[in-house]
Structure formats: structure tokens, C-alpha cells
Amino acid sequence: MFSITVRDHIMIAHSFRGEVFGPAQRLHGATFLVDATFRRRQLDEDNIVVDIGLATRELAAVTAELNYRNLDEEPDFKGVNTSTEFLAKVIADRLAERIGKGALGEGAKGLAAITVTLHESHIAWASYERDL
């Protein structure tokens, strides 16, 4: 399986419900490095996985929808614990939707999967992988 990864970052505020979250139940900020890895079984006719420029642009468009937001106030996340794992899925699903609409070009039709990883720090991160 071939892959490329592009990177961006987001800065958000949010809070959690549930004793398991301890002090994170209070409003707090988080900064995430966001990696989006695109996979395919065979390279396309240009010998690439996908246009890296388009992948970078579309990841930036998706992260811009979340960046500098208090997720507790966003209608899409009302009543949801916006954990790192959950946010990785949101970003992956939004990228998949853009791929389906052709935003990454014709070559993206051969993509097999996408993985989004949110790095909370240099020692902790979470990922979500989905087929395309």
C-alpha cells in the first residue's frame, strides 16, 4: 500500500462531560497537529498517490472549519464530547466527502483509505482510519 501524509494544525476550545475527564470537564484549550494520510494500492498514471498540493489545500479547508472555535458552541457538536478520537473521525469524514465530490482530482478516485491522526503532544495522539 502506498501513502502520502500532509499536515496542518488546529487550536480549539472545548469541555467534556463525565467524571472520566476530571479537570477537562471545565472549558480548556487544545492545540493539535493534524496528519492526513491517503492510501492506495497502486500508484496512479502519474506514479503518485494523490496530488499533494490538493491534499494539503483540502486538509487546510477542513481544519479552517474547526480552528479557533469553541466546539461547545458549534451546532454540529452540541452535546457531544469532542474527544481527540472523535475529532479525528470528523476530519476524516469531511475529507472523504470532499474526495467524493472530486476536490482532490480524478486521481483520487483510486484512493483506498484515509487515516487522520491528531497529535495532542509529542507523547500522545489518536487516529481514525476509514475506507474510501
Side-chain angles (χ1 to χ4, degrees):
M1 186 84 66
F2 295 94
S3 68
I4 64 146
T5 301
V6 296
R7 177 172 277 180
D8 202 352
H9 73 281
I10 55 173
M11 295 168 47
I12 56 102
H14 62 168
S15 61
F16 295 120
R17 291 178 328 282
E19 291 299 316
V20 69
F21 294 104
Q25 293 176 80
R26 294 188 298 274
L27 184 65
H28 63 280
T31 300
F32 298 106
L33 274 177
V34 181
D35 289 336
T37 301
F38 301 85
R39 291 185 173 79
R40 68 186 303 144
R41 289 173 180 37
Q42 302 295 324
L43 297 177
D44 72 6
E45 61 191 32
D46 295 312
N47 278 336
I48 61 174
V49 172
V50 71
D51 183 318
I52 201 166
L54 293 178
T56 300
R57 182 189 74 193
E58 293 307 312
L59 177 60
V62 169
T63 57
E65 298 169 353
L66 301 170
N67 204 21
Y68 293 109
R69 301 278 198 291
N70 178 348
L71 300 184
D72 295 349
E73 297 175 352
E74 294 294 312
D76 286 350
F77 305 124
K78 186 172 181 70
V80 174
N81 278 333
T82 51
S83 65
T84 306
E85 299 92 312
F86 176 83
L87 290 174
K89 181 180 185 318
V90 166
I91 293 169
D93 289 346
R94 290 180 180 184
L95 282 169
E97 182 179 331
R98 289 169 175 271
I99 291 166
K101 291 180 179 177
L104 270 72
E106 285 294 310
K109 289 182 179 178
L111 290 172
I114 183 171
T115 301
V116 171
T117 302
L118 271 64
H119 301 265
E120 292 189 51
S121 71
H122 65 288
I123 60 170
W125 55 88
S127 298
Y128 177 76
E129 182 172 350
R130 61 164 287 167
D131 293 333
L132 294 172

